[in-house]
Amino acid sequence: MNCAAKTISQEKTPVDQLLAEHGMTRGEYETLLGVMGREPTMAEFGVAAAMWSEHCSYKSTRVWLKQLPTTAPHVICGPGENAGVIDIGDGKAAIFKMESHNHPSYIEPYQGAATGVGGILRDVFTMGARPVANLNALRFGDVGHPKTRSLVAGVVSGIGGYGNCMGVPTVGGETNFHSSYNGNILVNAMTVGVADADRIFYSAAAGIGNPVVYVGSKTGRDGIKGATMASGEFNEDSGSKRPTVQVGDPFTEKLLLEACLELMATDAIIAIQDMGAAGLTSSSVEMASKGGLGIEIDLDKVPLREEGMSAYEIMLSESQERMLIVLKPGREAEAQRIFKKWELDFSVIGALTDTGRIVCLRNGVKEIDIEIAPLVDQSPVYNRAWEPTPAQSEIDASFYPLPQGETPLSILAKLIATPDLCSRRWIWEQYDSLVRANTAQGPGGDAAVVRLDDSQKALAMTVDCSPRYCAADPVIGGMQAVVETWRNICAVGAKPLAITDCMNFGNPEKPRIMGQFVGAVQGMREACLALDYPIVSGNCSLYNETNGSPILPAPAIGGVGLMQDVTKAVGIAFRSEGETVFVIGDTKGHIGQSLYLREIFNREEGAPPPVDLSAERKHGEFVRALVDERLITSCHDISDGGLLVAVAEMAIAKGIGITLEQGGDAAFWFGEDQGRYVIATGTPDAVIAKAKAAGAPLTKLGQTGGKEIKLAEGNLAVESLRQAHEAWLPGYMGA
């Protein structure tokens, strides 16, 4: 190559050290040499290392992700684009995705979480959608760990700070605590947007000679090697990686959102891609690759906020709030006027070519000249060794009766105030859940419900996963994560349509960890097929371990469903006195991996509760029919903590008590059997008749009324439960 750029062997840093710093193996480097036919420059090496990182290439997971069901009549676009797209009728589409920002959030919790929100927002609006809701799934370490409190404070503040400034409501989520996350927290962010179904924008470049345009914020040195950092384990030096964490500016992102949507209202855009992981590298390579074209970029034309940036730094920077756009020829001035109006940088930095190569110049020197097809096609793919997770034995509940001197209500009072079951109000009150005035149901219920503009229709959405189930049995855990979102969406009365996932696991080079991933995918696949509930987008986050200690596996699932009439949506709160309360589904008393077993007996063991997919489908459809016919006034699926915890949450929500006619042992009240719902109705005879016709198991629990939860063993004031439920988290954070 006629180029003055130094090759990596001419750099001061030895090649082996560069490989280690960029997470590239010697074998992968030999493949790169074969692709290029020569030694790469430092900028070329950086491009390849980023594109071949686990975070960008999915090299350990691709062979398994292909097994997931991704199609359905209502799926417009499945995995492979910035976000998934589903048809929701009336010419509208829902666009959504969930992504991780785990490593950055541990290193710098505020900016890590904030830029995680910013990145997922861009994934959605780059496809032409206006974001209508944010959700999140957060997992922190043991509450006694010295870093946990500050991590919670920083992450929650970052999520609220970015989403609130963007004017996008944060309407739902989940938060858990476990010692396995002490050195590696999980921050998963999800965004849902709405667009015209015939105005979806994609990232495949087209048109030789068409201009390539950079818009948004200037490029700095923040986030360099961010994708590489997210593709490796942590150790005691993880704090030194702070410079790889991006810095976000939600006010600029709001301007970028409006400018992009304004330009999208014209016909000037051919392709558009946000600059996320690996920044200008991934956006340019992916756009050209999908279009089967080449791309030439003059890096001198990239707007910079720091002097003296090298080609390597410009291509690898993960500065936030930036987009790459391919315009129709002759539309540059029109586009520039729009971005200038919104006070954003706009620069034509290159053009599409017929060479099939990415060529980048800096200060007149050709720093990058790589053939794109082999760079993409020969990206490493590993079918890693894996081993199944050993099956755990069923727990005999008779060995774990109520401790001496305890009653179901006294145990309930303890459980409701534990970190995993206490109210998350301290968290979600820091988020604006009502901005845009379309939130029909926000945080605190089974699923959020967001009205569609100028319509009776609404989207229901939720995120869920039970990592302790996944660790014990990844197949059941993956299956349960899917069906939990199914139940939550059915519980409000919506039809579940599709899911996104965020696969959080440890080091895939360890067969035990890879086996967890494989098992979770197998369980997810079974559930999605049985429920006609496809996966349309997602993200993998691996190497979530510190000093060799992995997290509990967490295949987080984000579900989206549709309601035709938002006025029919039900919540978890008992609405009035004198209503009859039923349980849908069978109660057998599975306590393996239950919170009862963990919190009362300090034991994390046993097989998780089994999942009956045919029963899940039948019970969910039955619940939706009851909601559609307005036969029930409240509904709550039974999950963490079991039946009595679900009943207590319904009572706490509006301060209405219940007299429970059923009696039972600890397993009856606190077992976590799947496929169950608690419902309240003023027309019990009609519900009983419907259950008989549907073949759905129905058990009468009791009658609402008063201010206490009443059992044969005694009574417990709802207000005292509410205080215990609400007090733990603010007390912990204020300590």
Side-chain angles (χ1 to χ4, degrees), residues 211-223:
V212 176
V213 178
Y214 172 116
V215 301
S217 289
K218 288 180 170 61
T219 294
R221 288 188 169 94
D222 53 321

Side-chain angles (χ1 to χ4, degrees), residues 348-571:
V348 179
I349 64 170
L352 300 178
T353 69
D354 61 358
T355 65
R357 306 182 74 85
I358 177 170
V359 177
C360 300
L361 304 176
R362 178 65 168 151
N363 298 323
V365 175
K366 189 184 288 186
E367 293 276 3
I368 296 171
D369 186 352
I370 310 175
E371 189 176 356
I372 293 172
L375 178 66
V376 174
D377 298 340
Q378 294 186 43
S379 170
V381 178
Y382 297 121
N383 194 349
R384 296 195 185 278
W386 64 277
E387 58 189 41
T389 299
Q392 295 205 35
S393 301
E394 289 286 339
I395 295 292
D396 185 342
S398 67
F399 287 106
Y400 298 98
L402 294 171
Q404 187 172 5
E406 301 281 7
T407 68
L409 292 177
S410 67
I411 294 295
L412 171 65
K414 293 178 179 179
L415 288 178
I416 208 76
T418 57
D420 273 6
L421 286 175
C422 71
S423 170
R424 303 297 190 252
R425 183 183 300 276
W426 181 90
I427 293 174
W428 53 257
E429 282 191 341
Q430 297 185 53
Y431 307 149
D432 189 338
S433 61
L434 299 175
V435 64
R436 293 181 53 82
N438 280 330
T439 306
Q441 290 190 33
D446 284 330
V449 180
V450 178
R451 283 185 291 264
L452 300 177
D453 287 335
D454 304 319
S455 173
Q456 281 287 95
K457 296 165 74 171
L459 293 175
M461 55 200 74
T462 186
V463 292
D464 263 295
C465 182
S466 298
R468 63 188 188 278
Y469 293 176
C470 298
D473 187 328
V475 177
I476 294 297
M479 194 182 298
Q480 191 273 341
V482 172
V483 300
E484 174 75 4
T485 68
W486 166 274
R487 284 199 302 268
N488 285 343
I489 291 171
C490 289
V492 299
K495 180 181 180 180
L497 292 180
I499 65 177
T500 182
D501 63 53
C502 199
M503 307 289 283
N504 306 276
F505 290 81
N507 185 342
E509 298 168 41
K510 300 176 181 178
R512 179 173 64 90
I513 301 299
M514 195 65 215
Q516 293 176 341
F517 184 89
V518 172
V521 168
Q522 292 171 340
M524 291 162 58
R525 171 183 166 82
E526 288 184 47
C528 290
L529 290 172
L531 301 174
D532 293 329
Y533 197 31
I535 296 175
V536 298
S537 60
N539 168 249
C540 290
S541 175
L542 305 183
Y543 296 94
N544 287 291
E545 49 185 276
T546 298
N547 293 326
S549 180
I551 62 166
L552 290 185
I557 303 295
V560 174
L562 181 66
M563 293 202 74
Q564 297 296 332
D565 185 352
V566 68
T567 67
K568 293 181 177 180
V570 300

Side-chain angles (χ1 to χ4, degrees), residues 98 127 129 184 279 287 295 398 448 464 510 520 709 715:
M98 179 161 55
M127 298 195 71
N184 200 125
M287 292 177 81
I295 186 169
S398 67
D464 263 295
K510 300 176 181 178
I709 297 177
N715 306 335

Side-chain angles (χ1 to χ4, degrees), residues 122-164:
R122 286 194 303 280
D123 278 342
V124 168
F125 74 72
T126 195
M127 298 195 71
R130 179 171 290 280
V132 299
N134 288 332
L135 302 94
N136 53 74
L138 312 177
R139 290 181 171 84
F140 298 101
D142 185 88
V143 296
H145 190 273
K147 290 196 69 171
T148 299
R149 187 181 292 108
S150 64
L151 288 168
V152 173
V155 165
V156 171
S157 183
I159 291 171
Y162 209 101
N164 296 352

Side-chain angles (χ1 to χ4, degrees), residues 189-312:
M190 177 177 171
T191 293
V192 181
V194 175
D196 291 335
D198 60 353
R199 297 285 295 170
I200 308 300
F201 290 81
Y202 299 99
S203 59
I208 296 168
N210 283 343
V212 176
V213 178
Y214 172 116
V215 301
S217 289
K218 288 180 170 61
T219 294
R221 288 188 169 94
D222 53 321
I224 293 173
K225 292 198 292 187
T228 304
M229 179 270 290
S231 304
E233 289 186 34
F234 273 175
N235 55 37
E236 60 275 359
D237 297 323
S238 60
S240 66
K241 298 179 180 179
R242 190 177 302 271
T244 64
V245 179
Q246 311 91 328
V247 177
D249 180 354
F251 299 105
T252 298
E253 178 123 332
K254 174 63 174 173
L255 300 178
L256 183 62
L257 163 65
E258 299 301 338
C260 287
L261 293 181
E262 184 173 337
L263 183 61
M264 288 168 173
T266 73
D267 64 347
I269 295 177
I270 290 175
I272 183 170
Q273 172 76 46
D274 85 296
M275 294 190 214
L280 186 54
T281 287
S282 60
S283 56
S284 57
V285 171
E286 289 174 8
M287 292 177 81
S289 172
K290 289 176 181 178
L293 296 174
I295 186 169
E296 186 165 319
I297 299 174
D298 185 348
L299 296 177
D300 295 342
K301 295 182 178 179
V302 173
L304 303 178
R305 68 168 180 258
E306 300 185 45
E307 294 182 359
M309 290 185 67
S310 66
Y312 172 94

